[in-house]
Amino acid sequence: MPKKKSEAQELREALCSKKKHAALRMDDKEIKKAFDYCGKYMDFLGKAKIERQAAAFTVAEAKKHGYVPFEKGKKYKAGDKVYYLNRGKAVIFAYIGKKDVKEGLRISAAHIDSPRLDLKQNPLYEQDEVAYFKTHYYGGIKKYQWPTVPLALHGVIVKEDGTVIDVNIGDDEGDPVFAVTDLLPHLAQDQMKRASTEIIRGEELNILIGSLPFRDDDASERVKLAIMKLLHDKYGITEDDFISAELDAVPAGKPLDVGFDRSLIGAYGHDDKVCAYTAFSALMDIKKTPERTALVILTDKEETGSDGVTGLKSSYFRYFVDDLAEAFGMDGRTVLSRSECLSADVNAAFDPTFPDVLERRNAAFINYGVCVTKFTGARGKSGTSDASAEFVGKVRAMFNKAGVVWQTGELGKVDLGGGGTVAAYIANLNVDTVDVGVPVLCMHAPFEIVAKMDVYQTYKAFSVFMA
Ligand code: MN
Ligand code: MN
């Protein structure tokens, strides 16, 4: 016979919040779905290392789903699917809903740039018969994590006649890779006394790219010359062409299952392609015309502060909404003021090895589902858009009704660290916005880790929001 519950037990069950591992809240069928879904995500992530590739991948995929380029001045109707590609580095997808656009949009926004090492504009040099590229790191990194990691090179070189040359080397079978070197421990006594931000200095993040000299010549810098000749043969470029190039060194290799149980994914660039992919694929998987017009924004430049023509501080998003509103005889500001947004970005997952930086009661845990973050910012919530209780209440009810496994989380203890997302830039346009996303271990490292259950629950959250 079951023991009768005590009054305290009954009260606790009725009044206190209950948290549970996602695997204990999902049945076998849903867990299998989560693993299968993550296979598709890993395929995307292995191919979309930089924003240009993520934009190209998603546009190609969207075309298969019937999306066509948005045309200003054209009339649109429910069921139409359009996209707007901003300079190949940021993209907006819209699925016109049954309700009039004037009733507002359902927006999911994520970023597709990730921390990395960018080549400088005069990158190539030779030192002691070894050739290198000079770099300037992009985004917030722990510089000491980047030496001795195999690197691939992705991006474009634009020649003076406007020709754009795609560079993608280090990630395909048989490709060579590149690397930043580090000192052997035997000789690192002085290096190890440096402050940890200086163990590898910015100007020491030089990428080793070759060591064979050009043979039939007695001129100086023969290794550099030999490399330049290889680059000319392969890409038709001269040294000056680096000036108008964007070349990014990123960790080489494909995403990998982590753990005996394969419950986790280790890869470069989860931040924030994990939210970009879950939002994007949720939009693509919508079976029938959504109630409200659904928008997915995949933006660039978040990691450097969202400035610039492809970042969300630029007006490209607002202009798009203006043009879309115009197609329905409406003005953009009214549409925005009635819109709602899930700003999708990763959050710090509680790391049991480093428990002190997060406050347990308000931290996000891996395998506890998609994380809802009411406010970001630091030191008095500075810089946050701080979602309203009303909007968080609405999202909470929506997720619970659909059986989404979700949790709340903040980015670190009060007065410790902090960080921002694109939420504030969208909220500043008078759009109700809250941060959601996947908890990540070792964020901004060359190898970041997420849990498959969380990835799937994030996809589910976007599906519920936009459908
Ligand atoms: Mn991010
Ligand atoms: Mn980031």
Side-chain angles (χ1 to χ4, degrees):
M1 252 201 32
K3 245 176 44 191
K4 195 177 171 316
K5 286 177 185 167
S6 72
E7 195 187 348
Q9 256 177 325
E10 275 177 14
L11 272 177
R12 193 176 300 117
E13 279 174 26
L15 302 181
C16 299
S17 74
K18 298 166 274 286
K19 287 182 181 173
K20 250 190 195 174
H21 193 293
L24 305 175
R25 300 181 56 182
M26 294 161 68
D27 59 21
D28 289 350
K29 218 173 110 194
E30 200 181 17
I31 290 173
K32 167 136 193 341
K33 264 192 190 168
F35 274 68
D36 291 346
Y37 174 81
C38 284
K40 290 187 284 178
Y41 165 56
M42 289 164 79
D43 178 58
F44 159 80
L45 189 58
K47 290 173 182 159
K49 297 250 171 143
I50 61 169
E51 60 280 353
R52 288 175 189 272
Q53 293 161 344
F57 183 104
T58 50
V59 165
E61 201 61 30
K63 281 181 179 166
K64 289 186 213 157
H65 285 84
Y67 282 74
V68 295
F70 176 75
E71 289 173 51
K72 183 178 160 60
K74 203 177 152 183
K75 293 276 169 246
Y76 288 100
K77 56 176 194 318
D80 286 347
K81 298 168 173 179
V82 293
Y83 72 88
Y84 167 70
L85 180 62
N86 180 5
R87 296 163 172 90
K89 302 208 279 184
V91 56
I92 301 173
F93 300 96
Y95 192 164
I96 310 300
K98 283 188 234 160
K99 286 192 174 151
D100 204 297
V101 159
K102 73 176 180 215
E103 295 196 39
L105 314 166
R106 283 274 168 94
I107 304 161
S108 305
H111 66 92
I112 47 178
D113 60 321
S114 304
R116 64 192 183 221
L117 307 178
D118 281 355
L119 297 204
K120 293 192 188 189
Q121 287 347 104
N122 289 308
L124 179 61
Y125 73 101
E126 172 178 342
Q127 185 74 52
D128 300 303
E129 298 185 292
V130 183
Y132 294 95
F133 279 147
K134 290 298 295 180
T135 68
H136 192 143
Y137 62 96
Y138 174 99
I141 61 165
K142 291 161 98 172
K143 294 188 282 287
Y144 69 79
Q145 291 178 332
W146 290 71
T148 72
V149 171
L151 298 172
L153 204 61
H154 295 266
V156 295
I157 303 167
V158 178
K159 300 217 292 182
E160 233 169 72
D161 65 2
T163 318
V164 180
I165 299 154
D166 272 306
V167 176
N168 179 343
I169 183 161
D171 271 314
D172 287 333
E173 190 77 33
D175 275 0
V177 295
F178 312 94
V180 173
T181 58
D182 197 359
L183 266 179
L184 60 168
H186 319 62
L187 297 177
Q189 292 91 331
D190 288 342
Q191 183 197 26
M192 298 314 281
K193 281 186 206 132
R194 296 180 186 176
S196 58
T197 51
E198 297 276 310
I199 287 179
I200 291 293
R201 298 185 176 122
E203 293 293 351
E204 290 169 345
L205 289 168
N206 303 318
I207 301 175
L208 174 58
I209 55 163
S211 62
L212 287 182
F214 191 74
R215 288 180 66 189
D216 304 319
D217 188 51
D218 53 6
S220 61
E221 301 198 314
R222 286 187 296 167
V223 179
K224 177 183 164 180
L225 185 63
I227 293 288
M228 207 52 247
K229 184 174 184 313
L230 279 174
L231 291 173
H232 183 262
D233 292 346
K234 188 170 163 75
Y235 299 113
I237 60 160
T238 63
E239 193 175 1
D240 282 342
D241 290 324
F242 283 119
I243 292 169
S244 47
E246 283 175 23
L247 294 170
D248 313 329
V250 297
K254 300 260 172 265
L256 298 166
D257 282 341
V258 173
F260 288 115
D261 57 10
R262 298 176 178 268
S263 60
L264 307 152
I265 307 166
Y268 163 72
H270 284 309
D271 178 8
D272 186 33
K273 288 173 208 101
V274 70
C275 296
Y277 186 77
T278 45
F280 172 75
S281 58
L283 181 68
M284 292 304 116
D285 291 350
I286 293 178
K287 292 281 181 293
K288 50 184 201 297
T289 308
E291 282 300 307
R292 284 171 201 279
T293 294
L295 232 73
V296 168
I297 310 169
L298 305 181
T299 196
D300 181 28
K301 290 282 176 280
E302 195 277 341
E303 296 294 357
T304 54
S306 295
D307 287 299
V309 75
T310 48
L312 257 192
K313 280 189 198 163
S314 129
S315 298
Y316 81 87
F317 166 57
R318 199 166 54 85
Y319 292 169
F320 177 81
V321 175
D322 280 345
D323 293 346
L324 184 67
E326 203 180 280
F328 291 88
M330 241 300 129
D331 58 284
R333 51 179 274 192
T334 309
V335 173
L336 286 166
S337 66
R338 293 170 183 168
S339 296
E340 295 169 336
C341 173
L342 298 184
S343 160
D345 209 340
V346 296
N347 205 332
F350 179 84
D351 184 339
T353 305
F354 303 101
D356 299 336
V357 297
L358 292 167
E359 185 261 298
R360 256 172 205 276
R361 285 178 192 81
N362 286 285
F365 291 79
I366 55 163
N367 286 312
Y368 276 70
V370 54
C371 175
V372 176
T373 302
K374 186 175 179 297
F375 59 86
T376 56
R379 284 158 286 274
K381 295 190 176 181
S382 178
T384 184
S385 55
D386 209 346
S388 72
E390 288 84 349
F391 187 51
V392 176
K394 192 172 177 180
V395 168
R396 174 187 157 198
M398 194 187 296
F399 288 176
N400 283 344
K401 193 174 161 216
V404 174
V405 179
W406 66 281
Q407 58 183 327
T408 60
E410 61 179 7
L411 192 55
K413 279 182 175 170
V414 177
D415 288 343
L416 191 89
T421 66
V422 298
Y425 315 125
I426 296 171
N428 289 348
L429 295 172
N430 200 19
V431 177
D432 270 312
T433 306
V434 68
D435 274 298
V436 302
V438 178
V440 178
L441 291 167
C442 7
M443 195 195 294
H444 285 200
F447 193 71
E448 302 178 313
I449 295 171
V450 298
K452 290 182 181 176
M453 310 280 182
D454 298 334
V455 176
Y456 182 70
Q457 292 299 333
T458 305
Y459 162 75
K460 212 166 137 181
F462 288 126
S463 306
V464 172
F465 178 66
M466 292 189 293

